[in-house]
Amino acid sequence: MARQLGDSHRRFLQSMMSISVMDEQEAKALYKHCCDVHKAQCPPDKLDDFIDTINAKLQPMFMQIRKGMSEDNGFQYYVLVNMAETDVTRMSSDYADNELELFRKTIDLIVSSENGKVCSTDVLNISDTLTTKKLKKSEAEQVLNRLVQDKWINEKRGEFSLSTRCIIEMEPYIRRMYEDQVKVCHICHNIALQCQICDSPTCGIKIHNPCVARYFKGRVEPHCPSCDQFWPHEIPEFRRPRSQSRR
């Protein structure tokens, strides 16, 4: 039997609607705050049950709070997703047609790259090839800055990658549009863009960098979990979630 939606759930949902995406520690802090304000029971390990109650009420509105891992740091995030619109067109109220075309072409470059990242120069160079309406490089730069600010893409050291929000919200679109290019992580089974790939030509599995760090932690000679061939890539440092790290 579904748990009754209370004021604590409504307050949590209102915050999610204004923020759209938050990491696990922010979600836990918000969960505790909402329960404290409305004097509701707040078991620390029941956040996902709390969100399931909200999702049960959101289902008729084709909305859902989904949980997913950041490819960048391996932390868990919660994203409020509109399931009725899974295309880039969901952003049409905030971005012009040529700005959305630039975003689509940016996704094209990122998905087709070897490491799930694309140089900002490469993105700017396609701004004058748009079929809707060409953008000056300065205009394209402003659009990209807005996409970063709205948490659709990440920017680090002059390179763009798809954000956790984008991968979770746009997953059906990405899987449909790039069916032959996109593979899932062998460990967590989510879309893998920033990842390591098994060198074996008969294997070629992908594993997210954070999943690589966790899976091979403490192993002297890492071997592919699928074909058992030696894993030649550098193993990233294992990063514990902040709740387990020393402040």
Side-chain angles (χ1 to χ4, degrees), residues 209-238:
N209 294 328
C211 293
V212 166
R214 280 192 287 266
Y215 183 80
F216 292 121
K217 183 178 184 290
R219 303 190 188 205
V220 179
E221 289 193 0
H223 290 264
C224 174
S226 178
C227 70
D228 205 37
Q229 179 172 294
F230 177 73
W231 195 265
H233 308 291
E234 181 180 352
I235 308 302
E237 182 181 352
F238 179 75

Side-chain angles (χ1 to χ4, degrees), residues 25-36:
Q25 297 313 304
E26 291 170 332
K28 286 180 177 179
L30 177 61
Y31 166 54
K32 185 177 185 308
H33 171 73
C34 293
C35 291
D36 288 348

Side-chain angles (χ1 to χ4, degrees), residues 12-13 16 51 54-55 58 64-67 78-80:
F12 188 97
L13 177 58
M16 282 296 305
I51 289 176
I54 298 174
N55 282 338
L58 289 177
Q64 185 181 49
I65 299 174
R66 288 184 182 168
K67 186 178 181 180
Y78 291 87
V79 179
L80 181 62

Side-chain angles (χ1 to χ4, degrees), residues 146-245:
R146 281 177 56 206
L147 288 167
V148 171
Q149 187 176 357
D150 292 342
K151 300 177 181 177
W152 289 111
I153 57 176
N154 294 328
E155 190 277 329
K156 190 175 182 180
R157 301 190 190 96
E159 292 184 317
F160 292 111
S161 59
L162 298 188
S163 69
T164 306
R165 176 190 185 183
C166 181
I167 292 175
I168 293 176
E169 284 208 48
M170 300 287 188
E171 181 178 2
Y173 170 80
I174 294 171
R175 286 180 181 269
R176 185 177 72 251
M177 293 298 295
Y178 308 99
E179 183 179 0
D180 296 330
Q181 293 173 265
V182 169
K183 289 187 177 182
V184 298
C185 173
H186 186 79
I187 303 300
C188 72
H189 309 295
N190 292 315
I191 289 175
L193 298 174
Q194 296 183 57
C195 57
Q196 295 183 2
I197 306 173
C198 177
D199 282 351
S200 172
T202 59
C203 182
I205 65 163
K206 290 186 173 184
I207 306 180
H208 286 126
N209 294 328
C211 293
V212 166
R214 280 192 287 266
Y215 183 80
F216 292 121
K217 183 178 184 290
R219 303 190 188 205
V220 179
E221 289 193 0
H223 290 264
C224 174
S226 178
C227 70
D228 205 37
Q229 179 172 294
F230 177 73
W231 195 265
H233 308 291
E234 181 180 352
I235 308 302
E237 182 181 352
F238 179 75
R239 296 180 63 183
R240 292 178 298 178
R242 283 169 290 179
S243 61
Q244 301 173 19
S245 303

Side-chain angles (χ1 to χ4, degrees), residues 43-94:
D45 60 341
K46 296 297 182 182
L47 171 60
D48 286 345
D49 290 345
F50 182 86
I51 289 176
D52 284 344
T53 300
I54 298 174
N55 282 338
K57 301 299 180 182
L58 289 177
Q59 188 174 5
M61 295 177 280
F62 300 100
M63 298 187 74
Q64 185 181 49
I65 299 174
R66 288 184 182 168
K67 186 178 181 180
M69 185 193 75
S70 164
E71 289 195 323
D72 185 48
N73 57 30
F75 296 158
Q76 295 294 322
Y77 283 75
Y78 291 87
V79 179
L80 181 62
V81 177
N82 179 349
M83 296 185 295
E85 297 177 279
T86 58
D87 200 340
V88 176
T89 52
R90 72 168 66 219
M91 302 157 61
S92 58
S93 60
D94 299 316

